[in-house]
Each structure stands twice: as structure tokens, then as C-alpha cells.
Amino acid sequence: MPIRRLDPATVAGISAGEVIERPASIVKELVENALDAGATRITVELERGGLGLIRVTDDGCGIPSGEALLAFDRHATSKLAVLDDLGTLATYGFRGEALAAIAAAGEVELLTRPGGVTDGVRVAGGGGVALTVGPAGCPAGTSLAVRRLFAAMPARLKFLRSPQAEAAAAARVVEACVLTRPGVHLVLRVDGEERLNAPRAADAAGRLRAILGASASTLIPFDRGEAGWRAHGLAEPPGAVRRRGRQWVIVNGRPVEDRALRHALLSAYAGQLPRDTQPHAVVYLDVPPAQVDVNVHPAKAEVRFADPSTAYRTVLRAVRDGFASAGVAPRAAAAAAGESPAGAETGTGPVPAGALPAAEPAWNWETPSGSGGVEVLGQLFRTYIVARLPDGLVLVDQHTAHEKILYEEMATQAAAAVTQPLLLPHTIELAPSEVLRLSGQEPALRALGFDLEPFGGNAIVVRAIPAGARDRDIGPLLRWLVEDLEQAGRATAPGELNHKLRATVACHLAAKAGDHLERAEMEGIVRGLLALADPASCPHGRPTFVKYDEGDLARQFRRTWGLGKRECH
Ligand code: ADP
Ligand code: MG
């Protein structure tokens, strides 16, 4: 697309804002432009923390000579024509503001040449001086140098930190790019010295080595997803964390600052991080594009999720599963060492025999957080969620409530919404009788989220499983369903059979009594439950919650209100 000015309506529709705060912001914008230009090699040079020089050189598509000057116009972009394109945009840039803002903040020199043409072009000026354009010889690609940054903006200069701190901030931008774009060779040079050299690598582990060195190889890989959401990456094993490590969170390919997602990552360590330490970790969260809004912050470091609790849960579960598969799960380690995870709090009151390990507190306090009128206060006996509603207190049975939610999802949503395709089809062996019992039931199983196919002999190929299920659930779950089918017999009406199968799947996938739940999970359950038309009982008929409103409490405490009455009569 040629570079052109956005129309005013489109300009008004995108979050605009001052993008140039410090050298790192310039590095970020220029590196993103290079990536948008399809570069395979990008070199970033800094002198004096960026105040002496910032130069980003790429081997991307270059800018046609006729457009080079226009690129510095405010709201001139080649990446977005109308606001409708925003949702489908695959580029980093789209506001057309960066080059204009950079040229206002310092002196610029652009050298650029598209691959197919012989002559390049040079644009120079800025920092209060008019831009001039002229022919120039240069390699294919683009290089943009910024000098005398903020020379005419003493207020900005005052807010800058030391050259080392500014260079470090810029280096973090390059590191994030190393992790998001494994196919791009990145080089960072600071005051003439090469600080980072990340050749192309096939995977995140290879790229992480360019940043962390040999310690990258001790990180545990994780990868788990469901229903279009997937979290994968690498995290330092619990028990090995000794210092303040670095965490990167990358949502749909964009590095973001998201406290909730970092919290989700840290929660997977279940309180096992020594004081003042943090793990090294990189988390890639891939979410359906419609579920995330990246257009929230001018510097694009923040995102907003349509469903933040699913984002939280996806990350937490993926990391936790990764630790479990690698045999480094924090809870096992804690039990072996005889520690109680949260330390200080110990609960009182009756604990159902066998429901909890001895050292567990009965009461898992959460810092209350409100959303949608539901404020989760904590988890009791690892079985009940305690929450405050606008009109009272509610105790929710975490299993029956979750079971009910999952059941209703299967009953009311299309099959596509309750299934998760497996990346690699899974083959399982069942007894011959079980295979036979399942054959002919494909439509019923499809409504539950299963996509199965006989594979000769006693093997079944599983191509998709119910959303929320894990690989290891497949065998047990199918055996439960076989049992339901056995019991149902010929006389059972199809509606009755479907109800039974759904209830079985929901029961199997729901949180169990004894499971530790994170706040986001508890909130999800309470809110999900209360959103149902008929929330009171689970598919097997057990109650899902008990509620106390003001009147209930007044009756319990035998409060009688009236004029002139004293409190204790
Ligand atoms: P945006 O990236 O939001 O479009 P910018 O001000 O960063 O806005 O850049 C304006 C335009 O200049 C881009 O749309 C692009 O066409 C062109 N451009 C900037 N940097 C490069 C580069 N490194 N290689 C090729 N084209 C570039
Ligand atoms: Mg840009």
C-alpha cells in the first residue's frame, strides 16, 4: 500500500498519544517499522544512551523515493486505509505518527532504497529544522538515525535517566523483539560494542539463549490451550529460582505489560518463590483476535481482553501443567519439605477428614477483588467459594457449580464452541467391547466436543476433545461414557441419554473438592453460575450454592428492628 494520510475520522478512532518519551520509545518504533517492512536483519546502534545517536538499519522493503518525505507527515501511513481495517491489522504500526514525532524530537537522517531500484533517497532535518529530501546512494533497505535527541526539549531531557539506564531500556525493547520474531536476525551495539547478537533460531529456547545465555536451557517448556486460547513458552523450574529473573509476556505476538498475566505466571509457583526472587520466563499467549484489543495504549504495551479470566486461567494452567509434566510441580515439593504453601494463615473449624493435607489452612484468603458485582473473599476447606454479592453472602460448592456451568455450555452452545481440536491426533487403545459400544455414537459424542474415528483393531483416533479437557482425560472420560451407554440400554430416550453423557463429561472436567483455585477461577465460577437461568442445582440434583441475604442474617441473629428499640433487647 502506498503511504497516504489517514482521513480525520480514522485518526479520531485510533488511540493517539505522545509516543516519544525516551530513547527506548524511538528504538521500539523504528524496530517495529523495520519489522513491518519485512526485514530479516535489523541492527540497532546507540551512543550515550541514545542522546548521541540512535540508528536502526534494516534490509526491509525500503520506501519509494516519492514517498520518503510523506512518511514524516503526521498520520501518514502505508498500513491502514480506513478504521474498519483495524481489527484485521497484521502490522505493528498503523497510526502514522512515529516518524513525525521522532522528527519533532531530534535531528533525523533517513536513508532508504527499495530493493528493485538503483537510486536511494535521503531525508534529513528535523528537531525544529525543515526536512529536505535528495537522492543518495545506500544499500537496499532503510536506516534511520536520530541525533541531538530532545536538544530543544529541556523538560524531556530532565526526565531521562543515566545513559546506562536508557541503553538498558532500549536493550529490553530489542530483547522483546528477539523473543517475538525468531526469524529476524537482531544485533544491538552500544557505544561501539556488540551487546546482543541473535541469529535466526527455530524456537523460543534458541532465541532465549541469545538473551540469558546458558541458563536458558534450564527452563521448563509448557504448552497448553483450549478453544482457540493457547499459552506456551518456557519458565524457570520452581525451586531453582535464586534471583530476580525476567518475565516476558507476549500476546498474539506483541510484548505487553500485563500485571494480571504476570500474576498468573507467578501463581503457578504456588507461593514457592523465595522472597525477593522472580523466575525467568517467557509466556506466549495466543488468543482469538476478537478477544483482545491492542489499541488501548499509545505505546501499545497494554492489551484489554474481552474475557480476562480465561486469559489468566490459560496462562496459569499451562505453566502449572508444564511443571507437572516435567515432574517439578511446586506443590509436591512443598509437601515433601513439609511446608505449608501460604505460610502464615492457619484456619480453624472442622475440616472434612481426608479432604485436606494436614498442614493446609482451611481458609484460603484472597485479596478481595470486585468485578461484575461479585467479590470473591476466599476458598473454604478447598471446597467452597465464599463471595460477597451486592445483596448478601454466598457459599458456592466449587464442584457442583462448575459442573453445572460446563453442563449448560454443552447443552446450549454449538458443538464448535465446546470442542478443542488437538494439534496432533491422539490414538488410544480401548477394550474391544468399549470400541464397539462407542461405534455409532459419533453424533452424540460430537455434541460433547469429541471428534473420534475408529482406527482399526481396538484403536480410536481422537482429533478433538471437549474444551477444558486434557490429553490425559481422554481415556478415563471415554470409559465413563461407555459405562453410561451400557447402563442406558435400548429403552432410554435420546434426550435422557444426552443429558446423562453431558453430565458425565461436566462432572469429569469440573474442579473437584480439594482443588486449590485461583481467584480468577473462583470469580469465573461464581459469575458463570449466577449468569445461568437456573443456577440452583447441578445436573445430578445437588445444590450449587447457599445464599444469605440481609433478611436471612437478621433472622439468624434474631435482630428485630424498630423505632426506639435498643440493640440487645
Ligand atoms: P506507521 O508505522 O504507523 O505507519 P510511521 O510514522 O512509523 O507510521 O511510518 C510511516 C510510514 O513510513 C510507514 O507506514 C511506512 O510506509 C514507512 N516506513 C517507516 N519506516 C520504514 C522502514 N524501516 N521500511 C520501510 N518503510 C518504512
Ligand atoms: Mg511505525
Side-chain angles (χ1 to χ4, degrees):
M1 217 195 295
I3 303 179
R4 53 185 151 179
R5 276 190 204 94
L6 294 173
D7 66 85
T10 303
V11 169
I14 55 185
S15 319
E18 193 54 79
V19 285
I20 307 304
E21 290 167 346
R22 59 193 303 192
S25 351
I26 294 183
V27 171
K28 179 166 189 294
E29 294 293 337
L30 296 183
V31 167
E32 289 185 350
N33 279 350
L35 292 170
D36 285 346
T40 62
R41 188 185 165 104
I42 302 174
T43 303
V44 177
E45 294 164 276
L46 290 177
E47 283 169 22
R48 284 200 295 119
L51 291 186
L53 170 76
I54 300 170
R55 178 161 46 213
V56 175
T57 307
D58 69 59
D59 63 354
C61 66
I63 305 175
S65 57
E67 296 177 14
L69 197 53
L70 183 58
F72 288 91
D73 253 32
R74 208 162 145 71
H75 300 306
T77 178
S78 59
K79 301 167 194 171
L80 180 67
V82 288
L83 195 55
D84 283 353
D85 294 347
L86 252 181
T88 54
L89 211 64
T91 56
Y92 291 100
F94 54 76
R95 298 181 174 85
E97 290 187 316
L99 294 189
I102 293 169
E107 290 177 11
V108 293
E109 181 185 21
L110 170 79
L111 286 165
T112 185
R113 176 167 74 81
V117 303
T118 45
D119 293 329
V121 60
R122 175 177 183 269
V123 177
V129 177
L131 292 167
T132 57
V133 58
C138 61
T142 302
S143 104
L144 197 125
V146 184
R147 297 186 178 84
R148 292 172 50 76
L149 179 63
F150 299 147
M153 301 174 163
R156 276 290 158 72
L157 274 181
K158 235 179 28 215
F159 280 101
L160 293 185
R161 317 245 303 273
S162 67
Q164 294 86 335
E166 294 301 331
R172 281 196 288 277
V173 171
V174 179
E175 288 168 354
C177 181
V178 168
L179 293 173
T180 47
R181 303 295 293 256
V184 179
H185 187 159
L186 282 152
V187 175
L188 170 67
R189 226 172 271 138
V190 179
D191 294 323
E193 209 176 304
E194 187 175 284
R195 287 312 182 100
L196 182 147
N197 189 335
R200 304 166 72 142
D203 55 3
R207 297 292 270 184
L208 204 54
R209 250 194 308 282
I211 301 172
L212 298 180
S215 62
S217 58
T218 63
L219 271 55
I220 306 288
F222 57 88
D223 189 350
R224 183 189 152 150
E226 49 207 60
W229 294 71
R230 172 180 176 219
H232 61 110
L234 297 154
E236 206 170 0
V241 184
R242 297 275 174 273
R243 64 196 131 32
R244 277 186 103 74
R246 306 263 312 275
Q247 298 97 46
W248 292 272
V249 178
I250 293 150
V251 176
N252 286 4
R254 287 178 195 256
V256 300
E257 295 294 332
D258 191 295
R259 289 181 56 193
L261 293 184
R262 267 181 34 136
H263 188 270
L265 163 73
L266 299 180
S267 296
Y269 290 79
Q272 297 292 289
L273 292 170
R275 231 185 136 77
D276 292 328
T277 69
Q278 283 177 358
H280 282 312
V282 50
V283 179
Y284 297 90
L285 179 63
D286 300 337
V287 320
Q291 291 284 328
V292 60
D293 180 5
V294 292
N295 189 28
V296 174
H297 190 271
K300 294 163 282 177
E302 284 173 15
V303 290
R304 190 181 290 147
F305 294 102
D307 179 0
S309 61
T310 299
Y312 188 97
R313 201 170 51 229
T314 305
V315 170
L316 170 62
R317 291 190 170 166
V319 180
R320 204 191 256 166
D321 276 15
F323 289 159
S325 319
V328 297
R331 197 177 308 288
E339 296 165 25
S340 100
E345 325 93 316
T346 2
T348 50
V351 178
L356 296 172
E360 285 283 327
W363 178 238
N364 164 25
W365 278 104
E366 291 285 337
T367 314
S369 84
S371 86
V374 173
E375 189 183 352
V376 165
L377 303 175
Q379 190 187 22
L380 192 59
F381 305 134
R382 280 201 176 187
T383 299
Y384 308 102
I385 303 164
V386 185
R388 185 160 67 189
L389 305 181
D391 59 342
L393 180 79
V394 70
L395 295 173
V396 174
D397 181 313
Q398 65 193 39
H399 174 70
T400 55
H402 195 197
E403 186 182 4
K404 173 76 167 191
I405 295 167
L406 295 175
Y407 175 89
E408 289 297 332
E409 276 173 8
M410 275 182 278
T412 55
Q413 294 185 9
V418 297
T419 188
Q420 56 178 343
L422 295 175
L423 218 50
L424 298 171
H426 198 98
T427 309
I428 66 161
E429 291 268 326
L430 294 174
S433 60
E434 292 171 328
V435 176
L436 288 170
R437 199 67 203 79
L438 287 175
S439 74
Q441 297 294 339
E442 287 82 0
L445 294 167
R446 208 179 300 279
L448 303 172
F450 277 110
D451 183 356
L452 306 175
E453 218 176 90
F455 194 62
N458 302 326
I460 287 185
V461 184
V462 184
R463 299 190 192 286
I465 58 180
R470 289 150 303 183
D471 286 7
R472 62 170 180 273
D473 294 319
I474 301 172
L477 195 44
L478 283 176
R479 290 195 181 93
W480 278 106
L481 295 173
V482 166
E483 202 164 296
D484 285 343
L485 291 165
E486 288 296 339
Q487 287 176 0
R490 279 165 171 266
T492 313
E496 171 67 13
L497 180 62
N498 285 339
H499 158 76
K500 200 158 169 44
L501 297 177
R502 274 198 297 268
T504 294
V505 175
C507 179
H508 192 91
L509 298 184
K512 308 283 183 296
D515 283 355
H516 170 86
L517 298 184
E518 299 301 328
R519 182 172 61 224
E521 296 178 302
M522 295 195 256
E523 276 178 6
I525 290 177
V526 178
R527 257 186 282 132
L529 182 70
L530 297 179
L532 298 178
D534 161 35
S537 61
C538 83
H540 299 106
R542 283 172 49 204
T544 52
F545 70 92
V546 185
K547 186 175 166 188
Y548 301 92
D549 63 20
E550 198 176 5
D552 298 326
L553 293 175
R555 274 188 294 282
Q556 292 272 339
F557 288 102
R558 282 186 278 140
R559 279 190 168 271
T560 47
W561 284 301
L563 276 177
K565 286 247 166 93
R566 298 215 325 251
E567 268 281 349
C568 283
H569 285 274

